[in-house]
Coordinates of all heavy atoms in Angstrom, one line a residue:
G18 N 28.3 -2.8 -6.2 CA 27.3 -3.7 -5.7 C 26.3 -3.2 -4.7 O 25.5 -3.9 -4.2
S19 N 26.4 -1.8 -4.5 CA 25.5 -1.2 -3.5 C 24.1 -1.0 -4.0 O 23.1 -0.8 -3.3 CB 26.1 0.1 -3.0 OG 26.3 1.0 -4.1
N20 N 23.9 -1.0 -5.3 CA 22.6 -0.8 -5.9 C 22.3 -2.1 -6.8 O 23.1 -2.5 -7.6 CB 22.5 0.4 -6.8 CG 22.6 1.7 -6.0 OD1 23.6 2.2 -5.7 ND2 21.4 2.2 -5.7
I21 N 21.1 -2.6 -6.6 CA 20.6 -3.8 -7.3 C 19.2 -3.6 -7.9 O 18.4 -3.0 -7.1 CB 20.7 -5.0 -6.5 CG1 22.2 -5.4 -6.2 CG2 20.0 -6.2 -7.1 CD1 22.4 -6.6 -5.3
Y22 N 19.0 -4.0 -9.1 CA 17.7 -3.9 -9.7 C 17.2 -5.4 -10.0 O 18.1 -6.2 -10.5 CB 17.7 -3.1 -11.0 CG 16.6 -3.4 -11.9 CD1 15.3 -2.8 -11.7 CD2 16.8 -4.3 -13.0 CE1 14.3 -3.1 -12.6 CE2 15.7 -4.6 -13.9 CZ 14.5 -4.0 -13.7 OH 13.5 -4.3 -14.5
Y23 N 16.0 -5.7 -9.8 CA 15.4 -6.9 -10.3 C 14.1 -6.6 -11.0 O 13.3 -5.8 -10.6 CB 15.1 -7.9 -9.1 CG 16.3 -8.4 -8.4 CD1 16.6 -8.0 -7.2 CD2 17.0 -9.4 -9.0 CE1 17.7 -8.5 -6.5 CE2 18.2 -9.9 -8.3 CZ 18.5 -9.4 -7.1 OH 19.6 -9.9 -6.4
A24 N 13.9 -7.3 -12.1 CA 12.6 -7.2 -12.8 C 11.6 -7.9 -11.9 O 11.9 -8.8 -11.1 CB 12.6 -8.0 -14.1
E25 N 10.3 -7.4 -11.9 CA 9.3 -7.9 -11.1 C 9.1 -9.5 -11.2 O 8.9 -10.1 -10.2 CB 8.0 -7.3 -11.4 CG 7.8 -5.8 -10.8 CD 7.8 -5.8 -9.3 OE1 7.3 -6.8 -8.7 OE2 8.3 -4.9 -8.7
F26 N 9.3 -10.0 -12.4 CA 9.0 -11.4 -12.6 C 10.1 -12.3 -12.1 O 9.9 -13.5 -12.1 CB 8.8 -11.6 -14.1 CG 9.9 -11.1 -15.0 CD1 11.1 -11.8 -15.2 CD2 9.7 -9.9 -15.7 CE1 12.0 -11.3 -16.0 CE2 10.7 -9.4 -16.6 CZ 11.8 -10.1 -16.7
V27 N 11.2 -11.7 -11.5 CA 12.2 -12.6 -10.9 C 12.5 -12.3 -9.4 O 13.2 -13.0 -8.8 CB 13.6 -12.5 -11.7 CG1 13.4 -13.0 -13.1 CG2 14.2 -11.2 -11.5
K28 N 11.8 -11.3 -8.9 CA 12.0 -10.9 -7.5 C 11.7 -12.0 -6.6 O 10.7 -12.7 -6.7 CB 11.2 -9.7 -7.2 CG 11.7 -8.4 -7.6 CD 10.9 -7.2 -7.1 CE 11.5 -5.9 -7.6 NZ 10.7 -4.7 -7.2
G29 N 12.6 -12.3 -5.7 CA 12.4 -13.4 -4.7 C 12.9 -14.7 -5.2 O 12.9 -15.7 -4.5
R30 N 13.2 -14.8 -6.5 CA 13.7 -16.1 -7.1 C 15.1 -16.0 -7.6 O 15.9 -17.0 -7.5 CB 12.8 -16.5 -8.2 CG 11.3 -16.7 -7.9 CD 10.5 -17.3 -9.0 NE 10.5 -16.5 -10.2 CZ 11.0 -16.9 -11.4 NH1 11.4 -18.1 -11.5 NH2 10.9 -16.1 -12.5
F31 N 15.5 -14.8 -8.1 CA 16.9 -14.7 -8.7 C 17.7 -13.8 -7.8 O 17.2 -12.8 -7.2 CB 16.8 -14.1 -10.1 CG 16.2 -15.0 -11.1 CD1 15.6 -16.2 -10.8 CD2 16.3 -14.6 -12.5 CE1 15.0 -17.0 -11.8 CE2 15.8 -15.4 -13.5 CZ 15.1 -16.6 -13.1
T32 N 19.0 -14.0 -7.8 CA 19.9 -13.1 -7.0 C 21.1 -12.8 -7.9 O 21.8 -13.7 -8.4 CB 20.4 -13.8 -5.7 OG1 19.3 -14.1 -4.9 CG2 21.3 -12.9 -5.0
I33 N 21.4 -11.5 -8.1 CA 22.6 -11.1 -8.8 C 23.7 -10.7 -7.9 O 23.4 -10.2 -6.8 CB 22.3 -9.9 -9.8 CG1 23.4 -9.6 -10.7 CG2 21.9 -8.7 -9.0 CD1 23.1 -8.6 -11.8
S34 N 24.9 -11.1 -8.2 CA 26.1 -10.7 -7.4 C 27.3 -10.5 -8.3 O 27.2 -10.9 -9.5 CB 26.3 -11.8 -6.3 OG 26.6 -13.0 -6.9
R35 N 28.3 -9.9 -7.7 CA 29.5 -9.7 -8.5 C 30.7 -9.9 -7.6 O 30.7 -9.6 -6.4 CB 29.5 -8.4 -9.2 CG 29.6 -7.2 -8.3 CD 29.3 -5.9 -9.0 NE 30.4 -5.6 -10.0 CZ 30.2 -4.7 -11.0 NH1 29.1 -4.2 -11.3 NH2 31.3 -4.5 -11.8
D36 N 31.8 -10.3 -8.3 CA 33.1 -10.4 -7.6 C 34.1 -9.7 -8.5 O 34.5 -10.3 -9.5 CB 33.5 -11.9 -7.4 CG 34.7 -12.1 -6.6 OD1 35.6 -11.2 -6.6 OD2 34.9 -13.2 -6.0
N37 N 34.4 -8.5 -8.1 CA 35.2 -7.7 -9.0 C 36.6 -8.2 -9.1 O 37.3 -8.1 -10.1 CB 35.2 -6.2 -8.5 CG 33.9 -5.5 -8.8 OD1 33.1 -6.0 -9.6 ND2 33.7 -4.3 -8.2
A38 N 37.1 -8.9 -8.0 CA 38.4 -9.4 -8.0 C 38.5 -10.6 -9.0 O 39.6 -10.8 -9.6 CB 38.8 -9.9 -6.6
K39 N 37.4 -11.3 -9.2 CA 37.4 -12.4 -10.1 C 36.8 -12.0 -11.5 O 36.7 -12.8 -12.4 CB 36.5 -13.6 -9.6 CG 37.1 -14.2 -8.3 CD 36.3 -15.4 -7.9 CE 36.9 -16.1 -6.7 NZ 36.1 -17.2 -6.2
M40 N 36.5 -10.7 -11.6 CA 36.0 -10.2 -12.9 C 34.8 -10.9 -13.4 O 34.6 -11.2 -14.6 CB 37.2 -10.3 -13.9 CG 38.4 -9.6 -13.5 SD 38.3 -7.8 -13.8 CE 38.8 -7.8 -15.5
T41 N 33.9 -11.2 -12.5 CA 32.8 -12.1 -12.8 C 31.5 -11.6 -12.1 O 31.5 -11.1 -11.0 CB 33.0 -13.5 -12.3 OG1 34.2 -14.0 -13.0 CG2 31.9 -14.5 -12.7
V42 N 30.4 -11.7 -12.8 CA 29.1 -11.4 -12.3 C 28.3 -12.7 -12.3 O 28.5 -13.5 -13.3 CB 28.4 -10.3 -13.0 CG1 28.1 -10.6 -14.5 CG2 27.1 -9.9 -12.3
Y43 N 27.4 -12.9 -11.4 CA 26.6 -14.2 -11.3 C 25.1 -13.9 -11.3 O 24.7 -12.8 -10.9 CB 27.0 -14.9 -10.0 CG 28.5 -15.1 -9.8 CD1 29.3 -14.3 -9.0 CD2 29.1 -16.3 -10.4 CE1 30.6 -14.5 -8.9 CE2 30.4 -16.5 -10.2 CZ 31.2 -15.6 -9.5 OH 32.5 -15.9 -9.3
L44 N 24.4 -14.9 -11.7 CA 23.0 -14.8 -11.5 C 22.5 -16.2 -11.0 O 22.5 -17.2 -11.7 CB 22.2 -14.5 -12.8 CG 20.7 -14.3 -12.7 CD1 20.4 -13.0 -12.0 CD2 20.1 -14.3 -14.1
Q45 N 22.2 -16.2 -9.7 CA 21.6 -17.4 -9.1 C 20.1 -17.4 -9.3 O 19.4 -16.5 -8.9 CB 21.9 -17.4 -7.6 CG 21.3 -18.6 -6.8 CD 22.0 -19.9 -7.2 OE1 23.2 -20.0 -7.3 NE2 21.2 -20.9 -7.5
M46 N 19.7 -18.4 -10.0 CA 18.3 -18.6 -10.3 C 17.7 -19.8 -9.6 O 18.2 -20.9 -9.7 CB 18.1 -18.8 -11.8 CG 18.8 -17.7 -12.7 SD 18.5 -17.8 -14.4 CE 19.3 -19.4 -14.8
S47 N 16.6 -19.5 -8.9 CA 16.0 -20.6 -8.1 C 14.5 -20.6 -8.4 O 13.9 -19.6 -9.0 CB 16.1 -20.3 -6.6 OG 17.5 -20.2 -6.3
R48 N 13.8 -21.7 -8.1 CA 12.4 -21.8 -8.3 C 12.0 -21.5 -9.8 O 11.1 -20.7 -10.1 CB 11.6 -21.0 -7.3 CG 11.6 -21.5 -5.9 CD 10.7 -20.8 -5.0 NE 11.2 -19.4 -4.6 CZ 10.5 -18.4 -4.4 NH1 9.2 -18.4 -4.6 NH2 11.0 -17.2 -4.1
L49 N 12.8 -22.0 -10.7 CA 12.6 -21.7 -12.1 C 11.3 -22.3 -12.6 O 10.8 -23.3 -12.1 CB 13.8 -22.4 -12.9 CG 15.1 -21.6 -12.7 CD1 16.3 -22.5 -13.1 CD2 15.1 -20.4 -13.6
I50 N 10.7 -21.5 -13.5 CA 9.5 -21.9 -14.1 C 9.7 -21.9 -15.7 O 10.7 -21.3 -16.2 CB 8.4 -20.8 -13.8 CG1 8.8 -19.4 -14.2 CG2 8.1 -20.9 -12.3 CD1 7.7 -18.4 -13.9
P51 N 8.8 -22.6 -16.4 CA 9.0 -22.7 -17.9 C 9.1 -21.3 -18.5 O 9.8 -21.2 -19.6 CB 7.8 -23.5 -18.3 CG 7.5 -24.4 -17.1 CD 7.8 -23.5 -15.9
E52 N 8.4 -20.3 -18.0 CA 8.5 -19.0 -18.6 C 9.9 -18.4 -18.5 O 10.1 -17.3 -19.1 CB 7.4 -18.1 -17.9 CG 6.0 -18.5 -18.3 CD 5.5 -19.7 -17.5 OE1 6.1 -20.1 -16.6 OE2 4.4 -20.2 -17.9
D53 N 10.8 -18.9 -17.7 CA 12.1 -18.4 -17.6 C 13.0 -18.9 -18.8 O 14.1 -18.5 -18.9 CB 12.8 -18.8 -16.3 CG 12.1 -18.2 -15.1 OD1 11.8 -17.0 -15.1 OD2 12.0 -18.9 -14.0
T54 N 12.5 -19.8 -19.6 CA 13.2 -20.3 -20.7 C 13.6 -19.2 -21.7 O 12.7 -18.5 -22.1 CB 12.4 -21.4 -21.5 OG1 12.2 -22.5 -20.6 CG2 13.1 -21.8 -22.7
A55 N 14.9 -19.0 -21.9 CA 15.4 -17.9 -22.8 C 16.9 -18.1 -22.9 O 17.5 -18.9 -22.2 CB 15.0 -16.6 -22.2
V56 N 17.4 -17.3 -23.8 CA 18.8 -17.1 -23.9 C 19.1 -15.9 -22.9 O 18.5 -14.8 -23.0 CB 19.3 -16.7 -25.3 CG1 20.8 -16.4 -25.3 CG2 19.1 -17.9 -26.2
Y57 N 20.0 -16.2 -22.0 CA 20.4 -15.2 -21.0 C 21.7 -14.5 -21.4 O 22.7 -15.2 -21.7 CB 20.5 -15.8 -19.6 CG 19.2 -16.0 -19.0 CD1 18.4 -17.1 -19.5 CD2 18.7 -15.3 -18.0 CE1 17.1 -17.3 -19.0 CE2 17.5 -15.5 -17.4 CZ 16.7 -16.5 -17.9 OH 15.4 -16.7 -17.4
L58 N 21.7 -13.2 -21.5 CA 22.9 -12.4 -22.0 C 23.4 -11.5 -20.9 O 22.6 -10.9 -20.2 CB 22.5 -11.6 -23.2 CG 21.9 -12.4 -24.4 CD1 20.4 -12.1 -24.6 CD2 22.6 -12.1 -25.7
C59 N 24.7 -11.4 -20.9 CA 25.4 -10.5 -20.0 C 25.7 -9.2 -20.7 O 26.2 -9.2 -21.9 CB 26.6 -11.2 -19.5 SG 27.6 -10.3 -18.3
N60 N 25.5 -8.1 -20.0 CA 25.8 -6.8 -20.6 C 26.7 -6.0 -19.6 O 26.4 -5.9 -18.4 CB 24.5 -6.0 -20.9 CG 24.7 -4.6 -21.3 OD1 24.2 -3.7 -20.6 ND2 25.5 -4.3 -22.3
A61 N 27.8 -5.4 -20.1 CA 28.6 -4.5 -19.3 C 28.3 -3.1 -19.7 O 28.6 -2.7 -20.9 CB 30.1 -4.8 -19.5
D62 N 27.6 -2.4 -18.9 CA 27.1 -1.0 -19.2 C 27.9 0.0 -18.6 O 27.9 0.2 -17.4 CB 25.6 -1.0 -18.7 CG 24.9 0.3 -19.1 OD1 25.6 1.2 -19.7 OD2 23.7 0.4 -18.9
P63 N 28.6 0.8 -19.4 CA 29.6 1.8 -18.8 C 28.9 3.1 -18.3 O 29.4 3.8 -17.5 CB 30.5 2.1 -20.0 CG 29.7 1.9 -21.2 CD 28.7 0.8 -20.9

């Protein structure tokens, strides 16, 4: 969790976090706009 990347188009609006104990990653999305409409997919990149 020490390094985080955001695409420019979500900076300041979205927050990614993870809870390794709960085996879960989150994406908090705020100030949503119609252009955010999409299928959101999770990727575990080794």
Side-chain angles (χ1 to χ4, degrees):
S19 58
N20 292 85
I21 289 177
Y22 159 82
Y23 292 107
E25 282 295 325
F26 51 80
V27 302
K28 279 185 180 178
R30 300 190 299 122
F31 290 11
T32 302
I33 189 171
S34 62
R35 65 191 292 159
D36 187 332
N37 287 349
K39 294 183 178 179
M40 304 280 275
T41 302
V42 63
Y43 305 96
L44 186 68
Q45 177 67 48
M46 305 187 294
S47 303
R48 292 189 281 147
L49 285 160
I50 59 177
E52 290 77 12
D53 294 320
T54 295
V56 175
Y57 284 71
L58 303 110
C59 181
N60 172 237
D62 185 352

